[in-house]
Amino acid sequence: MDDISKRLGISKRTLYTVVDDKETLFLEVVDYVFVAIKESERKIIEDETLDIMEKITRLIIVLPEKYRTVNFRKIYELKEKSPKVFSKIEHKLETDWEPTFELLEMAMEKGKIRRINLPVFQTMISGTIEHFLSKNTLAENGIPYHQAMEEMIDLILNGAICKS
């Protein structure tokens, strides 16, 4: 709270007139970030220049540009320090998959991808994201979060087999 009040140029006392406590502030930040993500998702879906597979890929790995430098590894620390905030993040990641499912259904109908079990697909993506957030694998290998997400979705949608 000291850092935030300094960056805003206000006293900590003034900051506490706006937010009750750190947890309330973190919960508001989670909402704010996910509103930005949903706006980015909407733009992807409405973008007529993208084909269906590009839309699916971008929708799954969507991350507004301003959040690309965030240290997502720190999010997992919230599990111990602020379980309510971490739970809200988990809930946001695990819900509102309908737009993605609709695009996947369209891709299956058009023969762009084979028939897949959507809950299994969702679990694979959610599980991978949780792993990326909870382990040091990416940091230890110098892999940025957004790059890992791009590689993950490429592997899921295109596989690892070379097509010669």
Side-chain angles (χ1 to χ4, degrees), residues 5-164:
S5 62
K6 283 178 189 169
R7 289 187 91 176
L8 293 174
I10 60 175
S11 71
K12 210 159 98 170
R13 185 179 199 177
T14 303
L15 180 58
Y16 278 111
T17 64
V18 179
V19 292
D20 295 331
D21 53 37
K22 286 183 212 179
E23 185 170 74
T24 301
L25 179 63
F26 284 144
L27 290 168
E28 291 294 324
V29 168
V30 169
D31 286 338
Y32 180 80
V33 169
F34 277 90
V35 164
I37 289 171
K38 291 299 166 192
E39 176 60 19
S40 293
E41 286 179 355
R42 185 192 61 74
K43 287 178 181 175
I44 291 166
I45 291 167
E46 293 174 357
D47 189 340
E48 298 293 325
T49 66
L50 301 174
D51 71 24
I52 194 163
M53 295 308 295
E54 288 175 296
K55 286 182 182 188
I56 290 168
T57 299
R58 290 183 184 194
L59 204 58
I60 290 169
I61 64 172
V62 68
L63 187 62
E65 193 63 40
K66 64 184 172 184
Y67 299 116
R68 288 199 174 225
T69 59
V70 171
N71 181 355
F72 288 96
R73 175 70 179 94
K74 295 283 185 191
I75 292 173
Y76 197 72
E77 293 175 12
L78 291 171
K79 189 171 190 173
E80 298 292 322
K81 296 178 181 175
S82 187
K84 189 174 179 181
V85 174
F86 187 80
S87 177
K88 186 171 192 167
I89 293 169
E90 276 186 320
H91 176 74
K92 295 274 190 187
L93 290 171
E94 294 171 0
T95 57
D96 198 20
W97 277 74
E98 289 77 17
T100 306
F101 284 177
E102 287 175 17
L103 286 174
L104 287 165
E105 286 287 349
M106 286 173 49
M108 287 185 274
E109 289 171 15
K110 292 180 177 185
K112 298 288 184 180
I113 60 173
R114 66 178 179 82
R115 282 263 150 221
I116 60 172
N117 183 308
L118 296 179
V120 170
F121 182 86
Q122 177 187 356
T123 301
M124 290 171 62
I125 303 295
S126 298
T128 301
I129 292 169
E130 186 174 331
H131 183 83
F132 286 164
L133 297 178
S134 67
K135 307 292 182 193
N136 281 325
T137 308
L138 300 181
E140 289 170 357
N141 292 287
I143 303 169
Y145 176 80
H146 69 274
Q147 180 184 338
M149 290 295 291
E150 289 169 0
E151 290 187 35
M152 176 266 309
I153 195 58
D154 180 55
L155 281 166
I156 289 174
L157 291 178
N158 301 314
I161 297 173
C162 292
K163 296 172 181 136
S164 48

